[in-house]
């Protein structure tokens, strides 16, 4: 399975039409966006929890905006819309509801991060297997 196919298999991404138009360098940049999300997720999760615990709704809104923008950049449109609804809901905040939603949303984002990691891990595994299957340059020269 190619990287493009694996990325299309990631739930919550609406990438099918865009990915077929991507050149290799654009695909590489998109994979970097996915990697960035995976790397930043633990920090974002901690920040979301902290701002909500502190009842710092302005800070919470800013953090959710960062998450929303990251989700948009990776074509996770439905998740980005959910995030925007949470931002909008902070206007008349009910702390218990905000906390419940955050716990749900973090679990969804965690699963999204895992799905991305699995797709990228499979890609890296295939590349490593491809290198192992090919003879080393010196061995190829000796066979010739």
């Amino acid at each position: 399975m190619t990287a493009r196919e694996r990325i299309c298999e990631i739930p919550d991404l609406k990438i099918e039409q865009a990915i077929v138009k991507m050149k290799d360098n654009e695909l590489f940049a998109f994979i970097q966006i996915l990697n960035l999300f995976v790397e930043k997720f633990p920090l974002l999760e901690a920040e979301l929890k902290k701002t909500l615990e502190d009842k710092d709704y302005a800070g919470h809104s800013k953090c959710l905006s960062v998450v929303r923008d990251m989700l948009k950049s990776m074509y996770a449109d439905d998740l980005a819309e959910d995030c925007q609804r949470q931002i909008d809901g902070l206007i008349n905040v009910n702390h218990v509801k905000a906390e419940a939603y955050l716990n749900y949303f973090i679990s969804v984002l965690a699963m999204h991060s895992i799905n991305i990691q699995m797709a990228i891990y499979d890609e890296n595994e295939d590349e490593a297997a491809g290198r192992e299957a090919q003879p080393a340059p010196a061995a190829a020269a000796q066979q010739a």
Side-chain angles (χ1 to χ4, degrees), residues 10-12 34-42 71 74 79 106-120:
I10 298 172
D12 296 316
L34 296 176
N35 277 324
L36 182 64
F37 175 79
V38 168
E39 290 172 11
K40 286 193 170 194
F41 176 70
L71 292 169
M74 68 175 77
L79 292 175
I106 285 176
S107 68
V108 170
L109 293 177
M111 185 54 67
H112 185 60
S113 177
I114 290 167
N115 289 331
I116 291 169
Q117 290 174 58
M118 292 303 295
I120 292 171

Side-chain angles (χ1 to χ4, degrees), residues 5 13 18 27 38 41 46 52-53 60 63 69 72-73 75 77 96 100 105 107-108 110 114 128 132 134 139-140:
E5 292 168 331
L13 296 187
L27 178 63
V38 168
F41 176 70
L52 190 60
E53 182 181 304
H60 192 66
C63 192
D69 293 345
K72 281 183 179 180
S73 71
Y75 298 91
D77 299 334
V96 173
F105 193 61
S107 68
V108 170
I114 290 167
E132 290 171 7
Q134 297 175 356

Side-chain angles (χ1 to χ4, degrees), residues 7-8 10-19 22 30 71-72 74-79 81 112:
I7 290 170
C8 286
I10 298 172
D12 296 316
L13 296 187
K14 300 201 184 273
I15 186 89
E16 293 83 11
Q17 293 181 355
I19 202 164
M22 286 183 186
F30 183 72
L71 292 169
K72 281 183 179 180
M74 68 175 77
Y75 298 91
D77 299 334
D78 292 344
L79 292 175
E81 287 175 18
H112 185 60

Side-chain angles (χ1 to χ4, degrees), residues 52 56-62 64 85-94 98:
L52 190 60
D56 174 9
Y57 299 119
H60 192 66
S61 180
K62 285 180 186 178
L64 282 170
R85 278 193 290 277
Q86 177 65 12
I87 293 167
D88 295 343
L90 289 174
I91 294 168
N92 298 317
V93 70
N94 174 325

